[in-house]
Amino acid sequence: MGTWLRFAGVSLLGGGRATTLRGGRQALICRRQLSGTESETIKQRRSQIMSRGLPKQKPIEGVKHVIVVASGKGGVGKSTTAVNLALALAANDSSKAIGLLDVDVYGPSIPKMMNLKGNPELSQSNLMKPLLNYGIACMSMGFLVEETAPVVWRGLMVMSAIEKLLRQVDWGQLDYLVVDMPPGTGDVQLSVSQNIPISGAVIVSTPQDIALMDAHKGAEMFRKVHVPVLGLIQNMSVFQCPKCKHKTHIFGADGARKLARTLDLDVLGDIPLHLNIREASDTGQPIVFSQPESDEAKAYLKIAAEVVRRLPPLPE
């Protein structure tokens, strides 16, 4: 008895040089492998089938530029950076409309940092209306669940929530939508990157080697999904003693600059490790809003200007 094989929906009975098709016709086939031409055809066919499973990118209605703020590791100040970047974009050009989207489903920080509470209202078209503070339109999972309630969801539910945050929010007309991504390089990052066109990604890291390892992965992930990486932000770059003014590089010196050279990227700016930034964020009065003349706020303003300069032109 020969061996039954199945290829392209046709059953083949193999056992010798000749193989009998179930329709009764005979053909000589290669025992071991397909020819180079056939192998290439299969590869192309496989790529076509796999590409069908990818979502088609669709712009968010009314939004001109989407800027994602990401990091490979948690605890590096990514959300603080996203909030102050959004405020700095508005401060640099008051004619621009800015939105802030928090897609960190498990640990949303935007409600507290932006001093916002309450459930979004629905528009006439049954879309959620962003909450507004400091002139920034904000949307977060934190508006949809209790502040102390944990989100205990599996992946499919998280993806459904991300889809709603991307597609069921009435942003109106925005020049820039800043997206605060969760840490890591998982499903949420891929879903956001593959569903909407992103103008650029900003990678936040401390100078510490452990954080830089994950920042490297984050930057490479965006490159794999064809999202332009605008540059790195070196957060908590230096601590200055408020009494003696001595500067200490608690997490190391210039680690992000070394990584930027490795990735052929630029450092968009340095944010110091300063008590004022932490206190302002915890009280819901981000430093760019509450202390706009401080050196810390000016660092964010400079970064925002650099981000805008690096954004690609909008398609006509």
Side-chain angles (χ1 to χ4, degrees):
M1 291 291 293
T3 303
W4 284 98
L5 301 176
R6 196 156 185 87
F7 175 69
V10 179
S11 296
L12 306 178
L13 177 60
R17 293 185 179 179
T19 298
T20 305
L21 275 69
R22 296 183 73 178
R25 295 165 51 200
Q26 290 187 343
L28 188 64
I29 65 170
C30 178
R31 293 181 179 180
R32 299 190 178 183
Q33 62 181 11
L34 297 170
S35 69
T37 303
E38 291 172 321
S39 179
E40 186 63 30
T41 301
I42 292 173
K43 289 180 181 178
Q44 293 176 359
R45 179 62 175 163
R46 185 184 296 117
S47 298
Q48 292 173 359
I49 293 173
M50 291 178 67
S51 66
R52 291 177 185 174
L54 294 177
K56 300 296 183 182
Q57 282 192 340
K58 181 182 176 183
I60 300 175
E61 187 173 354
V63 177
K64 295 180 181 178
H65 282 293
V66 175
I67 304 166
V68 297
V69 180
S71 67
K73 182 176 290 298
V76 298
K78 171 186 51 60
S79 295
T80 302
T81 301
V83 166
N84 282 288
L85 175 61
L87 287 163
L89 289 168
N92 282 342
D93 188 345
S94 60
S95 68
K96 302 298 184 184
I98 315 297
L100 180 59
L101 174 60
D102 183 359
V103 293
D104 192 345
V105 172
Y106 292 117
S109 304
I110 299 307
K112 183 173 181 61
M113 291 186 178
M114 290 295 288
N115 196 25
L116 287 168
K117 289 184 179 180
N119 297 321
E121 296 180 356
L122 294 180
S123 67
Q124 292 182 349
S125 54
N126 209 33
L127 298 177
M128 294 182 289
K129 291 184 177 180
L131 276 65
L132 189 69
N133 200 12
Y134 308 131
I136 308 296
C138 302
M139 180 53 63
S140 169
M141 195 65 185
F143 301 146
L144 308 177
V145 297
E146 294 294 330
E147 184 176 351
T148 58
V151 177
V152 188
W153 288 351
R154 294 188 184 275
L156 288 176
M157 294 182 69
V158 173
M159 291 302 100
S160 177
I162 295 300
E163 179 69 17
K164 287 179 172 59
L165 290 172
L166 291 177
R167 300 297 178 196
Q168 296 186 20
V169 178
D170 182 5
W171 291 105
Q173 298 295 316
L174 293 181
D175 293 285
Y176 306 112
L177 177 63
V178 178
V179 181
D180 181 20
M181 302 280 270
T185 56
D187 287 345
V188 174
Q189 287 81 358
L190 287 173
S191 181
V192 173
S193 300
Q194 293 174 347
N195 271 281
I196 60 175
I198 297 174
S199 298
V202 174
I203 308 297
V204 181
S205 180
T206 64
Q208 186 180 8
D209 288 346
I210 297 298
L212 292 166
M213 288 172 57
D214 290 339
H216 192 157
K217 295 174 185 176
E220 292 292 0
M221 184 215 71
F222 283 115
R223 284 177 167 175
K224 285 183 180 295
V225 294
H226 309 295
V227 172
V229 180
L230 303 178
L232 276 65
I233 294 176
Q234 184 165 246
N235 198 27
M236 308 181 198
S237 57
V238 65
F239 172 74
Q240 185 177 37
C241 176
K243 293 183 178 180
C244 69
K245 305 302 181 183
H246 175 72
K247 292 183 178 181
T248 304
H249 294 88
I250 295 176
F251 295 105
D254 289 333
R257 281 183 164 70
K258 296 173 185 176
L259 176 59
R261 287 195 293 270
T262 300
L263 295 171
D264 195 23
L265 295 171
D266 293 324
V267 174
L268 301 173
D270 293 74
I271 305 298
L273 178 62
H274 202 287
L275 181 63
N276 289 349
I277 298 176
R278 195 274 299 168
E279 289 181 339
S281 297
D282 284 351
T283 58
Q285 295 184 325
I287 198 163
V288 170
F289 169 79
S290 59
Q291 302 175 44
E293 298 302 320
S294 66
D295 290 340
E296 297 77 45
K298 290 178 181 178
Y300 286 114
L301 293 168
K302 182 179 178 182
I303 288 172
E306 190 63 24
V307 166
V308 170
R309 190 181 70 81
R310 292 167 181 265
L311 289 175
L314 290 172
E316 306 210 353

